[in-house]
Amino acid sequence: MGLKYNWNYPQYDETFLNDLKEYNISENIAKILDSRGINKIEEVKKYFSDDYEEGYDPFLMHDMKRAVERINNAIENEEKILVYGDYDADGITSTVLLVETLVSLGADVSSYIPNRFEEGYGPNKDAFSKIIKSGISLIITVDNGIAGVDEVELANSLGCDVIITDHHKIQDKIPKAYAVIHPEHPEGQYPFGKLAGVGVAFKLAHALLEIYPDFLLDLVAIGTVADMVSLTDENRIFVKQGIELLNEDPRIGIKMLLELSNITTNIDEQTIGFYIAPKLNSIGRMDSAKVGLSFLMAEDASVAKSLAEQIEEYNVQRKEVTENIVKDVIETIENSDIKNKSVIMVSGDYHEGVLGIVASNIAEKYQRPVLIMNNKEGILKGSARSVFEFNIYTAINKIGDKFIAYGGHTLAAGFSFDEQNFKEIEKTLCNEFDEYKNNNELKSTKNIDIVSSLEEVSYQFLNSLEVLKPFGMDFEKPNILLENTKVIEKVYFGADKQYLRLTIADEVGNLECISFKDNMIFKDINVNDTIDLLCTLDKNYFNGRTKLQAHIIDMQVKEFLFEDLRYTNFDETTISIDSLKLSKDIDNKQSNYYCYKDLDNINAEYSNIYLLDIPHSLEDINKVLELKPKKIYIICNDKQIMSEVYKIDKLRLVKLFNIVLNAPNKQVNITQQLDYLLSLLKTNTNSLKIMIQIFQELNLVKVENNMMILNPNYKTVDLRKSTMYVKMENIFEVERLLLKDSIININKKFEK
């Protein structure tokens, strides 16, 4: 149970793990695959054999054959074709992919991306009317169109055919387009329904070109990662192969954009997700997304560089605008009763392009659903973001008649409504979330892939995870639980101290850990706390140096029964009189000082017990546990450590016995041969006396006139039948534990 999430610990199939050893798959990789449901040999083979896969037959998609025939006829008849795209990264890459495909086939093709601010998402009648009047006779939508019922009807009435390629949720009514290509079409039989818009466009390109167009997979990789669709099955194939292409032969624009970000390492899904995709998205957020088409299709280096610099500037503007709006929204919340409401709704003269980002930031900060809106002439248009598993789309849908338009899914939605409906919408959504809170635990669950320790974290361990790439939605980076690590540094950083950096350590090393969100929940984590840390691992590149770094998912403070006060110069006079103090020889029951030998006579309950010195044995500690304290404090300031004074062990006893056994007449003069015995056994006189006593207890020897004489009738015996041997063994064992072991291992030993 973490501070942020419930933790689901892995249950491994040991037979499966053993079977994978035959395929030279490491135990850690096997565990990750098992924890994610890839637990059959056939599934593992399929997972690792996708480098040369070409995905499913594109003609399994509904209307694919019909669409291909119509497009080929249009090309043959020299009709004007238009690709109608969208302004996000998925829409931009979809548009470029299909335009490049049609150009290669000799088509007369152009493209159109609606303006986010003037036209909004998807088909619109004004745009379609102008497009058709310009002579276009075939419109192909990419990453949109499935909701354009009226717009397609208009196009049909104007004599223009429309082919829809889309991946968004299919509504109750499907447009009467010439062809509708959708991986989840109810009349289709396509095996994988979670393609991005660019993935659907790629399937059309595959069908048109009659070859597997792997040269377009760089676009598919960018659009698929950017749209955060499931990175499993066919998407994994496309992204993996697309990333290889991005590294081998990147488009000149992408190369320039990464140079501006000082990215010199190999491109991977993280490079796309954190650098390429946000910058492509920033174009449509700040201006017309047409710049993105020119950028991706640029072939001249100087043009590509100029466009990359323009996109970089858009991204800077996007960050500044977002930051200013977030600050304004927080100020509005804190200075009003909005902060006391179950759902946060704030409107203002805000830039429409960043409302979703702002809503995400506010939802993260306040941990409740958020609606951020721009007010334009009494119409509130904006974005909603939810928390936990509260379905904001379903909540909005219940009062859909109060909205002009809306759409979305569980955790995000877009909408518009008349400001006169504000109060009623706010009241309903607050009631819906209140009901959700009353009936649901406000914690999501995180699956743990591997339970490990800081000692096992290394570059070798991290590099071994590379074979599982690419990571993304539904196949995230492995969640690693690092148990029993100590916090040695805690620092908040950033302009508003909103980010968190921890340094954790154990006996062998330390690790820097970073968190960029939800950090107030960790406010009670302190230096010197022992924690379990749930994280992902990564490499941090900075100033030409590389180091391991953990990205914090969650953590929990370990509440240990045993607390460490050893070697701290602890002042025993500060111990409360109500606490139980245990030692070998201090007996003052009135002040709650007891000897270990009296443990059986203690009937009172104590919350806190202090071990002033070392108990006689582990049995004494077990008796202390039977008292059921909340805390046991280990002080153990013993002046004399028995294991350092007495050099006695089984090997020394065997050696001494052999000396007697091989001596003349099987007798040893202890006085005359004392120095020889001490030197050979590497012990001291007191220890030798005890060893002889052990032999006497076992009836192995007798001592007469300083002569140690072997019993001629001796038998092989168990050393533990000697009371003295057991006593010394118990003392040494408890000393090793309480004086030399870590407090973590001490707690582990006595865990129930």
Side-chain angles (χ1 to χ4, degrees):
M1 176 78 76
L3 293 173
K4 193 185 299 186
Y5 301 102
N6 292 320
W7 295 353
N8 184 26
Y9 284 78
Q11 301 287 328
Y12 301 123
D13 181 343
E14 294 299 330
T15 302
F16 172 71
L17 299 185
N18 287 328
D19 289 345
L20 283 190
K21 290 178 182 178
E22 297 179 18
Y23 296 88
N24 293 321
I25 293 175
S26 72
E27 184 178 359
N28 283 329
I29 298 301
K31 285 181 175 179
I32 294 168
L33 293 172
D34 190 10
S35 72
R36 298 185 174 197
I38 303 173
N39 49 18
K40 292 182 175 58
I41 298 299
E42 296 75 22
E43 294 171 346
V44 175
K45 287 180 178 179
K46 183 177 185 297
Y47 187 86
F48 287 114
S49 64
D50 55 16
D51 286 359
Y52 306 104
E53 287 276 345
E54 295 187 358
Y56 302 112
D57 182 350
F59 287 97
L60 291 174
M61 276 197 186
H62 179 74
D63 274 353
M64 183 63 80
K65 183 179 179 182
R66 181 174 168 82
V68 168
E69 289 174 351
R70 178 66 183 89
I71 293 168
N72 284 332
N73 285 336
I75 295 171
E76 186 177 339
N77 296 325
E78 298 183 350
E79 294 180 52
K80 289 185 176 181
I81 303 172
L82 181 130
V83 178
Y84 191 98
D86 185 29
Y87 41 70
D88 68 359
D90 187 19
I92 293 170
T93 51
S94 301
T95 305
V96 172
L97 185 148
L98 197 54
V99 167
E100 289 185 346
T101 298
L102 293 171
V103 166
S104 72
L105 291 169
D108 181 359
V109 61
S110 58
S111 61
Y112 186 93
I113 294 183
N115 186 287
R116 178 195 290 264
F117 312 107
E118 296 172 6
E119 299 172 275
Y121 168 77
N124 69 83
K125 289 182 179 180
D126 286 344
F128 269 30
S129 295
K130 291 175 184 176
I131 288 166
I132 295 166
K133 284 180 182 178
S134 72
I136 300 294
S137 58
L138 176 60
I139 296 173
I140 308 173
T141 71
V142 289
D143 194 32
N144 73 92
I146 198 63
V149 175
D150 294 340
E151 291 79 7
V152 170
E153 190 175 321
L154 172 67
N156 290 338
S157 70
L158 295 174
C160 178
D161 289 333
V162 179
I163 294 173
I164 292 172
T165 76
D166 200 357
H167 72 120
H168 291 95
K169 185 175 177 60
I170 296 177
Q171 308 295 322
D172 294 335
K173 192 173 182 182
I174 296 176
K176 294 180 180 179
Y178 187 90
V180 177
I181 300 173
H182 192 295
E184 294 182 316
H185 196 290
E187 296 177 26
Q189 295 180 329
Y190 200 69
F192 182 64
K194 297 180 180 179
L195 292 172
V198 70
V200 181
F202 179 78
K203 301 307 292 190
L204 176 57
H206 188 177
L208 285 166
L209 294 169
E210 299 181 358
I211 61 166
Y212 182 62
D214 53 1
F215 49 86
L216 296 172
L217 284 171
D218 56 341
L219 296 170
V220 182
I222 292 169
T224 299
V225 172
D227 220 46
M228 299 181 70
V229 292
S230 177
L231 211 59
T232 57
D233 204 280
E234 199 170 33
N235 284 339
R236 183 178 187 277
I237 297 170
F238 294 159
V239 172
K240 188 173 184 179
Q241 295 177 16
I243 287 172
E244 290 174 4
L245 180 59
L246 281 166
N247 282 297
E248 292 169 4
D249 187 22
R251 291 171 185 257
I252 187 68
I254 296 296
K255 189 175 180 182
M256 295 293 181
L257 192 65
L258 292 177
E259 284 180 3
L260 290 174
S261 300
N262 296 315
I263 303 297
T264 57
T265 56
N266 273 353
I267 298 170
D268 62 9
E269 68 278 8
Q270 202 162 278
T271 316
I272 296 172
F274 286 100
Y275 295 98
I276 299 173
K279 292 178 182 183
L280 285 179
N281 280 326
S282 72
I283 306 169
R285 293 186 188 281
M286 307 309 296
D287 203 343
S288 168
K290 294 175 184 177
V291 173
L293 305 183
S294 302
F295 166 73
L296 287 175
M297 298 174 75
E299 296 181 355
D300 180 81
S302 60
V303 171
K305 184 178 180 182
S306 175
L307 290 170
E309 289 171 346
Q310 187 176 349
I311 291 169
E312 191 71 31
E313 181 58 31
Y314 283 142
N315 195 48
V316 171
Q317 291 174 15
R318 187 266 304 169
K319 289 180 180 178
E320 290 176 352
V321 170
T322 300
E323 186 177 324
N324 290 335
I325 297 176
V326 167
K327 286 181 178 177
D328 184 75
V329 170
I330 291 173
E331 187 176 334
T332 300
I333 294 168
E334 294 299 326
N335 293 323
S336 68
D337 68 340
I338 297 175
K339 63 178 177 291
N340 300 318
K341 295 185 177 182
S342 298
V343 174
I344 291 174
M345 295 178 60
V346 178
S347 66
D349 185 15
Y350 297 145
H351 194 296
E352 284 184 31
V354 298
L355 296 183
I357 303 173
V358 173
S360 293
N361 287 333
I362 301 302
E364 177 187 306
K365 178 177 177 64
Y366 290 97
Q367 288 298 294
R368 64 192 88 164
V370 172
L371 285 74
I372 305 295
M373 299 152 284
N374 177 52
N375 191 334
K376 190 173 182 179
E377 298 177 354
I379 301 299
L380 300 180
K381 182 181 178 183
S383 292
R385 294 294 183 269
S386 191
V387 292
F388 312 120
E389 296 299 324
F390 177 66
N391 194 317
I392 191 67
Y393 174 79
T394 300
I396 289 173
N397 191 49
K398 288 182 179 180
I399 47 171
D401 60 321
K402 303 300 177 186
F403 288 80
I404 297 169
Y406 64 91
H409 51 83
T410 301
L411 296 177
F415 59 86
S416 60
F417 62 84
D418 191 301
E419 65 178 342
Q420 293 180 356
N421 293 327
F422 185 99
K423 290 293 183 184
E424 188 173 350
I425 291 171
E426 181 184 56
K427 181 181 178 181
T428 303
L429 293 181
C430 284
N431 289 339
E432 287 288 325
F433 188 57
D434 285 339
E435 184 178 349
Y436 174 85
K437 287 190 293 182
N438 291 334
N439 295 305
N440 295 274
E441 184 180 9
L442 299 186
K443 263 190 177 183
S444 302
T445 298
K446 280 288 179 184
N447 292 325
I448 298 169
D449 292 301
I450 297 177
V451 179
S452 188
S453 65
L454 191 53
E455 183 179 1
E456 296 178 17
V457 172
S458 64
Y459 283 105
Q460 183 179 2
F461 173 75
L462 180 57
N463 291 337
S464 73
L465 303 180
E466 293 281 321
V467 298
L468 295 172
K469 282 187 168 186
F471 299 120
M473 192 66 66
D474 294 336
F475 200 88
E476 292 86 358
K477 284 185 176 183
N479 295 332
I480 301 165
L481 183 64
L482 300 177
E483 291 188 308
N484 301 319
T485 64
K486 189 171 185 178
V487 178
I488 62 172
E489 183 184 38
K490 180 183 182 184
V491 177
Y492 287 100
F493 65 101
D496 299 315
K497 305 296 181 186
Q498 70 273 40
Y499 308 135
L500 173 64
R501 180 173 66 244
L502 290 183
T503 303
I504 59 175
D506 64 5
E507 293 88 346
V508 296
N510 59 63
L511 179 67
E512 182 181 86
C513 312
I514 296 290
S515 174
F516 293 107
K517 60 182 182 178
D518 293 349
N519 291 315
M520 282 306 294
I521 201 167
F522 303 130
K523 66 182 185 303
D524 293 328
I525 301 290
N526 297 307
V527 171
N528 292 324
D529 281 346
T530 298
I531 63 171
D532 286 347
L533 180 81
L534 186 61
C535 65
T536 60
L537 291 177
D538 208 346
K539 293 175 185 174
N540 180 34
Y541 302 97
F542 185 70
N543 285 340
R545 297 176 61 188
T546 304
K547 65 178 178 180
L548 283 175
Q549 190 176 73
H551 288 265
I552 299 169
I553 298 172
D554 199 5
M555 64 183 92
Q556 66 174 357
V557 177
K558 296 301 287 284
E559 289 295 333
F560 287 141
L561 175 60
F562 290 88
E563 293 288 346
D564 200 351
L565 294 177
R566 300 170 295 178
Y567 317 118
T568 59
N569 295 319
F570 180 73
D571 184 359
E572 295 176 15
T573 63
T574 62
I575 301 174
S576 166
I577 192 170
D578 296 328
S579 299
L580 176 62
K581 283 78 68 175
L582 293 171
S583 66
K584 294 188 184 77
D585 50 25
I586 303 175
D587 189 349
N588 181 1
K589 295 181 177 59
Q590 191 171 1
S591 298
N592 287 315
Y593 282 89
Y594 280 77
C595 295
Y596 290 115
K597 62 182 177 61
D598 296 324
L599 275 167
D600 290 332
N601 301 323
I602 299 174
N603 297 315
E605 292 185 357
Y606 297 92
S607 294
N608 299 310
I609 297 178
Y610 289 79
L611 308 185
L612 304 182
D613 56 24
I614 299 171
H616 300 294
S617 66
L618 294 183
E619 185 182 351
D620 286 344
I621 298 180
N622 287 320
K623 288 180 179 179
V624 172
L625 293 174
E626 289 174 6
L627 298 175
K628 298 181 179 179
K630 292 181 180 177
K631 287 287 181 183
I632 300 172
Y633 296 92
I634 304 175
I635 300 175
C636 294
N637 288 329
D638 291 63
K639 298 295 186 287
Q640 179 172 297
I641 310 304
M642 299 290 281
S643 56
E644 293 177 359
V645 173
Y646 294 98
K647 305 298 182 182
I648 301 169
D649 55 41
K650 185 176 181 179
L651 288 175
R652 286 186 171 94
L653 287 164
V654 170
K655 188 176 286 189
L656 177 59
F657 181 79
N658 284 329
I659 290 171
V660 181
L661 181 65
N662 295 314
N665 301 319
K666 303 195 184 309
Q667 299 179 11
V668 173
N669 189 310
I670 300 171
T671 304
Q672 290 180 3
Q673 298 193 52
L674 180 62
D675 290 341
Y676 168 73
L677 292 172
L678 298 182
S679 174
L680 193 64
L681 297 173
K682 295 181 180 177
T683 188
N684 51 54
T685 303
N686 288 332
S687 300
L688 182 60
K689 288 179 180 178
I690 291 176
M691 285 193 278
I692 294 171
Q693 182 182 339
I694 291 170
F695 284 173
Q696 287 176 301
E697 286 183 354
L698 296 171
N699 200 27
L700 294 173
V701 302
K702 63 180 178 179
V703 178
E704 295 177 353
N705 299 320
N706 282 326
M707 292 293 292
M708 184 166 39
I709 304 168
L710 185 68
N711 178 358
N713 300 316
Y714 79 89
K715 294 179 181 179
T716 302
V717 293
D718 182 357
L719 286 172
R720 294 188 61 81
K721 289 185 177 180
S722 163
T723 305
M724 179 56 71
Y725 179 80
V726 171
K727 178 181 179 182
M728 299 304 292
E729 188 181 56
N730 287 341
I731 291 171
F732 293 168
E733 182 182 27
V734 76
E735 283 186 349
R736 279 194 301 272
L737 179 68
L738 296 187
L739 294 180
K740 297 182 179 179
D741 225 331
S742 70
I743 196 67
I744 291 170
N745 287 338
I746 292 171
N747 276 282
K748 274 187 176 180
K749 184 171 182 65
F750 294 102
E751 277 180 352
K752 292 182 180 179

